[in-house]
Amino acid sequence: NLLLLACGAALTWSSPELPKLLDPATTPFRRTISPQESSWISSIITLGASIGPFLFGFVADKIGRKSTLLYLGLPFLICQPLLAFSTDTGAFLAARFVIGLAVGGTFIVMPMYIGEISDKDNRGAMAASMSCFVCFGIFFSCSVGPYVSVTTFNLVLAVFPALFLVMFFVSAPESPHFHVRVQESTTLAPEICTTVIVGVQFLSSFLTPLIIDRFGRKLILLFSAFFMVASEVPLGVYFHLKNNHVDVDGISFLPIVTLTTFIVAFNVGFGPIPWAMLCELFPSEVKSTASALVSSFIWIMAFCLTKYFECLVTAFGMDVLFLFFACCCMLGAMLDMLIFK
């Protein structure tokens, strides 16, 4: 509510301050400002307040209610001293506009925060207390502002956001609703993940026909193997951390990123090129038989992996399995270098 007090004081700031700005004896400006300039200084805070809800409402969903409210305290803390010492109308306009952004943001994020952290038995009282502190800010501005200088009044107003930032940072919790929302949004639905991966597989399949004759089989296969290893090692480490109860919520995007990388790398190199090489590696007299044996071996391995994957995960763990796959890719890269000497 200290932040709401600062909002109330900012909204009625022009009532005690404008007469001083227009008076040559008390104005901080080097010249007498025009009525047009004074009207802008008075009203521009509401223009900023009309933009603030969109800006900080979006931010609140991204970084959390508490963090957003802390950021909302900063414009007051920075701009009130600026108003205290500035002698330029442009600086006054900029400061008042930025404060307006914070006012608009506060009036959208604060009710959201209070509604999400309060119990149903006291939610109404806590929400209603917002109006009390806004009115207190208005009262403070109108009762103190006329009797002190522009510099003193604005420095005093900077005390409230300073107290808010310290106390709110130390004692306030993050909204549990935001935690739930984040948890639900770091977890992608399986069908979405599948769609993303097969979509990437489809698009990447067009790369190999465009580059195979330009860069050659060896280079493309080495590139493919390198990125398959580079995607499976982090995935193995991710599952190792998760299996050892390390919090991996901050990198929950890693599985889909690494699997997508793997699909692209595989689809460019080790997916299509070995099949195309079957007609190039073997002499014509054994080509049919040799190609059939290679093809059969590939599908038998595919069957074994598909059939016993869950058993292997249970026996060794997902982390060991993906690190083993990474070793297989490294072996493939070494064979590639031996074949294409």
Side-chain angles (χ1 to χ4, degrees):
N1 281 324
L2 286 169
L3 191 60
L4 292 164
L5 191 158
C7 289
L11 288 170
T12 50
W13 176 94
S14 57
S15 176
E17 297 304 283
L18 272 186
K20 300 174 192 174
L21 300 182
L22 294 169
D23 187 346
T26 56
T27 183
F29 305 129
R30 299 184 182 92
R31 60 176 177 83
T32 303
I33 62 172
S34 67
Q36 185 74 5
E37 288 174 313
S38 68
S39 68
W40 270 107
I41 291 173
S42 174
S43 62
I44 199 170
I45 186 173
T46 54
L47 185 61
S50 69
I51 301 171
F54 297 100
L55 174 62
F56 289 102
F58 172 80
V59 172
D61 284 339
K62 295 299 180 182
I63 67 172
R65 282 59 160 145
K66 178 178 179 178
S67 297
T68 303
L69 287 169
L70 288 170
Y71 281 119
L72 283 166
L74 292 176
F76 294 98
L77 185 63
I78 295 169
C79 292
Q80 294 296 171
L82 179 62
L83 292 171
F85 297 109
S86 179
T87 59
D88 180 69
T89 55
F92 265 69
L93 288 169
R96 292 280 289 164
F97 178 77
V98 172
I99 289 175
L101 291 174
V103 169
T106 300
F107 274 90
I108 190 69
V109 180
M110 187 65 78
M112 191 188 307
Y113 177 76
I114 290 176
E116 291 177 352
I117 66 161
S118 55
D119 185 75
K120 64 178 182 178
D121 296 329
N122 60 16
R123 186 174 297 127
M126 291 187 69
S129 69
M130 291 176 56
S131 177
C132 298
F133 278 83
V134 171
C135 292
F136 180 40
I138 295 172
F139 171 77
F140 182 87
S141 182
C142 294
S143 59
V144 175
Y147 306 105
V148 296
S149 67
V150 173
T151 299
T152 301
F153 181 59
N154 283 288
L155 289 177
V156 170
L157 291 183
V159 172
F160 299 117
L163 289 173
F164 164 77
L165 287 169
V166 173
M167 296 171 66
F168 194 75
F169 177 77
V170 171
S171 61
E174 179 54 271
S175 160
H177 289 253
F178 175 72
H179 284 306
V180 171
R181 177 171 179 163
V182 168
Q183 185 63 38
E184 290 176 346
S185 62
T186 55
T187 305
L188 289 175
E191 57 271 19
I192 295 177
C193 294
T194 303
T195 302
V196 170
I197 290 173
V198 298
V200 169
Q201 183 176 17
F202 167 67
L203 294 174
S204 62
S205 65
F206 292 96
L207 288 174
T208 306
L210 298 175
I211 64 175
I212 187 169
D213 291 323
R214 181 176 180 181
F215 295 102
R217 280 74 163 156
K218 179 177 182 179
L219 184 61
I220 295 175
L221 287 172
L222 286 174
F223 169 89
S224 176
F226 173 80
F227 279 97
M228 286 195 293
V229 172
S231 61
E232 289 185 313
V233 168
L235 194 57
V237 172
Y238 171 87
F239 282 114
H240 179 74
L241 294 174
K242 188 174 182 179
N243 292 344
N244 286 278
H245 310 292
V246 176
D247 184 11
V248 292
D249 286 345
I251 54 171
S252 57
F253 58 87
L254 192 64
I256 190 169
V257 172
T258 53
L259 285 174
T260 302
T261 303
F262 176 87
I263 287 295
V264 172
F266 173 80
N267 220 31
V268 168
F270 271 90
I273 291 180
W275 294 102
M277 289 170 54
L278 288 178
C279 64
E280 300 174 340
L281 290 178
F282 303 113
S284 57
E285 58 269 19
V286 296
K287 185 178 295 184
S288 297
T289 303
S291 296
L293 288 172
V294 170
S295 179
S296 179
F297 177 77
I298 290 173
W299 290 116
I300 289 172
M301 292 299 294
F303 165 78
C304 293
L305 186 59
T306 306
K307 176 68 172 65
Y308 297 107
F309 181 79
E310 292 296 334
C311 297
L312 293 171
V313 170
T314 303
F316 301 103
M318 195 79 81
D319 51 349
V320 173
L321 209 54
F322 276 105
L323 292 174
F324 170 73
F325 292 156
C327 293
C328 293
C329 293
M330 292 177 65
L331 179 61
M334 289 187 285
L335 290 174
D336 173 46
M337 288 186 287
L338 289 174
I339 292 172
F340 291 102
K341 278 187 177 180

